[in-house]
Amino acid sequence: MKILVVGGGGREHALVWKLRESARVAKLWCAPGNGGIAAEAECVAVDAGDVHGLLALAERIQPDFTVVGPEVPLVNGLTDAFRSRGWAIVGPSQLAAQLEGSKIFSKEFLLRHQIPTARMFGAFDSAAGALRALTSVPWPLVIKADGLCAGKGVCLAANAAEARDFIEKAMLRNEFGAGGHRILLEETLEGDELSFILVTDGQRYAPLVPTRDHKRVFDGNLGPNTGGMGAYSTDDLLSEAMRRTILSSIVEPTLQGLAADGIPYQGFLYVGLMLTADGPKVLEFNCRLGDPETQAIAARMDFDLAEVLADVAIGRLDPSKLKWKPGASVCVVLASGGYPGKFATGKTIEGLTGVNNITGVKVLHAGTQLQDHSVVTSGGRVLGVTAVGSSLGVALRSCYDAAHKIHFEGVHYRQDIGAHARPPLAAMR
Ligand code: AMP
């Protein structure tokens, strides 16, 4: 098989790593890839959001199928353009990607199909309307910009002053671009969060192993939000009873609702959940795999990813093929100094040689590039040091052993990924 992977972060390196392990794979390309992916696939300098560039690339290289990592090309209609040419691709259509691309579309979908989610207090396309609504909502309040805002589009407002500030930033000062022109007000949910990701061919689906990510930059969940500073996966993140509830009250009604609405969904679907005292409720959908959750998920894969994705691409997913390593996995993100604020790039990364030989460890690259003969930093999240082990403790030890050997100026990472692992409280009920 010849496969094109679209994207250039840690998630795409994880996909390339597992695809490369398949005996069926003869050729892998990655657009644009990064400094680590370059060792395992041919990187082509086409931006992941550039639909025309990707069409021209696929025309030239003719992959058997394409796998899309990030949301932007999906929301931009990449899969529709490929399918209209008869080219196989894994990823939802532009319309289905609206589950992530528009929080209002997604909320209306959830309400229409009676899928548990936070109550909505209104959707607004003017600041005046949204500000007026603030007089009759409970606090704290969640405010969401409708469109893609690179992780900045959600505000947990404790009071009206904070809410007003966010609404003005989004709707009057245009700080989030077009993504902020409409907003949604909703109820604040309390509980533990859980990422539940599945793959579907439109008919059948298979859940991936459960993961939990760590969004705050500092230990103890302090500091600003980031794209994700780490993730871990263990089976006991989720009790069997909770897993069944999630499947029957959320996953299946979602897939049936999409089919009933005439929106076939093929690809990965990420369901962000809050496990509340009233049961699991949907916080958000993403139309793709999470980053860094994918790194932890990939580490536990015990199946031929190329074969499974080829099946998804032609509508023949066999869920029984997805087998998982028992135990646990973890991914710790090594970030540039200053991230998630301003950071410098071009710092030489030392200590990479040999770390992949530590049992169970794989260093996945996110913001790196090759410069002459060395690997240098080129982004905020630089590396995802990933490890699998017979237990979370074993995986954590290997992972931090490896992380401590790697150095670049300004490097920082959380020391407490997976440290508070316990089954979610709501899962015990
Ligand atoms: P989203 O992009 O919708 O997942 O929102 C980002 C983060 O905001 C989530 O991971 C939650 O931590 C938080 N969040 C979103 N919606 C709610 C809500 N209704 N109640 C509490 N927290 C929320």
Side-chain angles (χ1 to χ4, degrees):
M1 283 191 252
K2 297 182 295 171
I3 307 171
L4 168 63
V5 176
V6 175
R11 166 183 47 212
E12 290 76 25
H13 194 180
L15 291 170
V16 164
W17 168 39
K18 288 293 140 178
L19 291 170
R20 175 96 279 164
E21 283 182 355
S22 167
R24 291 158 199 256
V25 173
K27 177 78 193 179
L28 270 177
W29 296 269
C30 191
N34 63 38
I37 293 175
E40 293 166 61
E42 182 180 333
C43 293
V44 193
V46 177
D47 192 76
D50 176 3
V51 171
H52 293 295
L54 291 169
L55 282 171
L57 172 64
E59 177 89 63
R60 177 167 68 77
I61 62 179
Q62 309 229 329
D64 292 307
F65 69 91
T66 297
V67 188
V68 187
E71 63 277 17
V72 172
L74 297 166
V75 171
N76 288 349
L78 182 70
T79 59
D80 308 75
F82 270 56
R83 289 196 186 106
S84 70
R85 289 163 173 79
W87 301 344
I89 187 160
V90 176
S93 67
Q94 186 168 31
L95 181 57
Q98 287 297 299
L99 278 186
E100 175 166 3
S102 165
K103 303 263 189 207
I104 297 173
F105 174 95
S106 145
K107 181 61 78 179
E108 287 171 347
F109 170 84
L110 288 162
L111 296 175
R112 185 162 61 246
H113 295 287
Q114 284 139 40
I115 298 163
T117 184
R119 267 188 305 142
M120 176 165 75
F121 302 126
F124 301 90
D125 55 14
S126 80
L131 292 170
R132 252 195 318 275
L134 295 183
T135 54
S136 57
V137 290
W139 303 95
L141 174 74
V142 175
I143 312 175
K144 295 184 172 175
D146 183 49
L148 296 182
C149 295
K152 299 198 180 96
V154 175
C155 167
L156 308 180
N159 52 48
E162 286 180 22
R164 226 176 288 125
D165 184 52
F166 182 83
I167 292 170
E168 287 170 3
K169 266 190 197 149
M171 305 184 88
L172 297 178
R173 295 205 296 277
N174 223 3
E175 288 188 19
F176 311 134
H181 292 170
R182 296 172 80 204
I183 61 150
L184 165 72
L185 306 183
E186 73 176 32
E187 168 198 17
T188 301
L189 296 177
E190 279 174 33
D192 286 313
E193 285 187 46
L194 182 82
S195 319
F196 196 92
I197 309 178
L198 55 104
V199 62
T200 174
D201 64 359
Q203 302 285 327
R204 289 153 294 256
Y205 72 91
L208 311 184
V209 281
T211 49
R212 181 174 286 150
D213 70 347
H214 298 62
K215 284 265 183 257
R216 302 286 181 151
V217 67
F218 300 128
D219 285 9
N221 292 328
L222 298 174
N225 261 330
T226 68
M229 293 298 289
Y232 66 96
S233 169
T234 63
D235 289 327
D236 54 12
L237 263 175
L238 198 58
S239 71
E240 190 47 37
M242 177 57 77
R243 178 185 155 86
R244 276 201 299 270
T245 305
I246 292 170
L247 293 178
S248 64
S249 74
I250 291 173
V251 170
E252 285 166 13
T254 297
L255 296 175
Q256 285 157 11
L258 285 162
D261 290 350
I263 311 174
Y265 194 105
Q266 182 259 49
F268 292 98
L269 178 64
Y270 174 123
V271 189
L273 295 169
M274 188 72 93
L275 306 180
T276 75
D278 291 338
K281 297 189 179 183
V282 176
L283 288 175
E284 63 162 343
F285 288 118
N286 291 329
C287 59
R288 36 82 196 172
L289 285 160
D291 186 340
E293 291 93 330
T294 307
Q295 291 84 316
I297 290 168
R300 294 191 59 197
M301 285 180 182
D302 204 7
F303 58 89
D304 186 324
L305 180 64
E307 182 183 335
V308 166
L309 293 183
D311 290 349
V312 170
I314 56 164
R316 300 232 182 98
L317 171 66
D318 174 356
S320 72
K321 284 187 185 171
L322 283 85
K323 302 252 188 324
W324 302 96
K325 293 179 187 162
S329 61
V330 59
C331 170
V332 173
V333 170
L334 275 50
S336 292
Y339 175 82
K342 283 208 177 79
F343 55 84
T345 57
K347 306 291 179 194
T348 302
I349 305 173
E350 276 148 14
L352 286 172
T353 318
V355 278
N356 283 331
N357 296 332
I358 300 174
T359 309
V361 168
K362 172 76 179 178
V363 178
L364 295 165
H365 291 229
T368 73
Q369 67 186 43
L370 294 176
Q371 209 171 68
D372 303 323
H373 293 294
S374 51
V375 183
V376 302
T377 65
S378 64
R381 292 190 294 166
V382 175
L383 298 167
V385 179
T386 304
V388 66
S390 55
S391 68
L392 186 57
V394 171
L396 281 167
R397 256 193 309 281
S398 313
C399 188
Y400 279 108
D401 270 358
H404 296 329
K405 292 189 164 53
I406 299 171
H407 185 74
F408 50 89
E409 190 189 316
V411 59
H412 67 99
Y413 50 96
R414 281 182 62 160
Q415 307 290 332
D416 67 345
I417 302 300
H420 312 290
R422 57 181 166 78
L425 293 179
M428 320 276 241
R429 289 192 185 99

